[in-house]
């Protein structure tokens, strides 16, 4: 079945540091890939997405590129801020079937210190 | 625009009891999905409702059941509660099946503790 593996957290960085959160996946067919973010006390929000190989998703300074050859979708940001502290989830969608569901990784807690 | 709201936010039950969790979808959304998030884990798909019909189910036993109402709000029912059912239950809504947009709008969840 489908699965998503994220790097273990927690990740602690200083403000303006570079961020990478690794994500690899196993799936049949051609899934779409997503990063969701959960800020403290809030529900999950879609951060960015990519629907086909070599697509780059970007939002709020975050980027991730859909790499089919390495089955990866690593999240990066060049300069993190304290407000980026949250839990980040990598996810993929089923590419077939009549319903739609997301398969999530376990999440990575990011803490950014001033 | 009203977001996804869930109730109750927290509740405590004992083994063997039954629980009903409620979700109001975002305005204009006709699809609701439920996810279970155990501590330290990512959300796991329970089932999805589209236009009041179940439209897909994850690897959960039949004691997990649901409903969707004409106004697209939804309920998740769990019978014969077990300790392992302790988790955060997330409701997510979308318009249509959101196959490739990935734009699911999540509520803040209902945290269930089973003693």
């Amino acid at each position: 079945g489908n699965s998503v593996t994220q790097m273990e957290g927690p990740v602690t960085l200083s403000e303006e540091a570079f961020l990478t959160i690794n994500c690899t996946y196993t799936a049949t067919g051609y899934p779409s890939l997503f990063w969701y973010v959960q800020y403290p006390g809030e529900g999950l929000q879609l951060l960015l997405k990519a629907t086909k190989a070599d697509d780059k998703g970007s939002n709020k300074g975050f980027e991730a590129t859909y790499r089919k050859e390495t089955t990866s979708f690593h999240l990066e940001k060049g300069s993190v801020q304290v407000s980026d502290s949250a839990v980040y989830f990598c996810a993929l969608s089923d590419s077939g079937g009549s319903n739609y569901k997301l398969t999530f990784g376990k999440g990575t807690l990011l803490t950014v210190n001033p | 625009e009203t977001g996804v709201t869930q109730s109750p936010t927290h509740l405590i039950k004992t083994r063997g009891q039954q629980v009903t969790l409620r979700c109001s979808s975002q305005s204009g959304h006709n699809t609701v999905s439920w996810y279970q998030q155990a501590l330290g884990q990512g959300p796991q798909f329970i089932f999805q409702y589209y236009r009041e019909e179940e439209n897909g189910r994850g690897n959960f036993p039949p004691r997990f059941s649901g409903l969707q109402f004409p106004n697209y709000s939804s309920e998740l029912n769990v019978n014969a509660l077990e300790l392992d059912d302790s988790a955060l239950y997330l409701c997510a809504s979308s318009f249509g099946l959101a196959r490739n947009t990935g734009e699911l709008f999540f509520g803040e969840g209902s945290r269930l503790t089973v003693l």
Side-chain angles (χ1 to χ4, degrees):
Chain A
N2 295 341
S3 68
V4 174
T5 303
Q6 289 182 235
M7 65 184 283
E8 296 278 334
V11 174
T12 302
L13 296 173
S14 297
E15 208 165 20
E16 299 184 3
F18 183 84
L19 168 71
T20 300
I21 301 178
N22 290 339
C23 171
T24 58
Y25 67 90
T26 301
T28 54
Y30 303 95
S32 296
L33 301 174
F34 311 94
W35 278 98
Y36 274 79
V37 59
Q38 187 172 33
Y39 297 104
E42 299 184 16
L44 277 76
Q45 304 172 24
L46 178 65
L47 179 60
L48 54 83
K49 66 185 182 190
T51 58
K52 61 183 188 296
D54 300 325
D55 267 3
K56 177 186 283 189
S58 61
N59 186 24
K60 300 182 180 180
F62 291 89
E63 293 183 340
T65 301
Y66 189 149
R67 301 287 188 199
K68 194 170 189 303
E69 63 276 13
T70 54
T71 62
S72 65
F73 193 55
H74 305 321
L75 182 69
E76 296 182 336
K77 186 175 185 181
S79 176
V80 293
Q81 305 300 312
V82 172
S83 57
D84 294 327
S85 298
V87 181
Y88 292 81
F89 293 92
C90 185
L92 64 81
S93 70
D94 280 347
S95 60
S98 63
N99 65 47
Y100 176 84
K101 69 173 186 178
L102 292 176
T103 299
F104 286 89
K106 291 186 178 182
T108 303
L109 173 62
L110 170 65
T111 301
V112 180
N113 295 318
Chain B
E1 186 176 78
T2 306
V4 177
T5 58
Q6 294 186 241
S7 63
T9 55
H10 295 83
L11 69 166
I12 299 173
K13 294 285 188 176
T14 56
R15 273 187 306 174
Q17 284 189 312
Q18 179 266 343
V19 68
T20 297
L21 307 179
R22 296 179 174 82
C23 172
S24 293
S25 59
Q26 182 158 316
S27 176
H29 287 181
N30 58 11
T31 304
V32 172
S33 303
W34 286 91
Y35 287 79
Q36 180 196 64
Q37 186 178 9
L39 199 61
Q41 303 294 315
Q44 289 203 307
F45 177 74
I46 303 175
F47 43 55
Q48 179 183 83
Y49 280 84
Y50 175 59
R51 294 183 175 176
E52 302 178 56
E53 298 284 332
E54 186 178 292
N55 184 52
R57 188 178 185 92
N59 189 26
F60 282 81
R63 57 190 186 83
F64 285 77
S65 63
L67 282 174
Q68 187 179 31
F69 300 100
N71 66 355
Y72 304 127
S73 65
S74 177
E75 285 183 355
L76 165 65
N77 299 291
V78 187
N79 294 323
L81 284 167
E82 301 177 0
L83 298 180
D84 285 349
D85 295 334
S86 296
L88 180 67
Y89 288 86
L90 297 168
C91 171
S93 75
S94 61
F95 181 75
L97 298 177
R99 181 172 303 283
N100 284 320
T101 67
E103 191 73 72
L104 295 184
F105 292 80
F106 284 84
E108 293 181 24
S110 294
R111 183 162 298 283
L112 171 65
T113 302
V114 182
L115 302 177

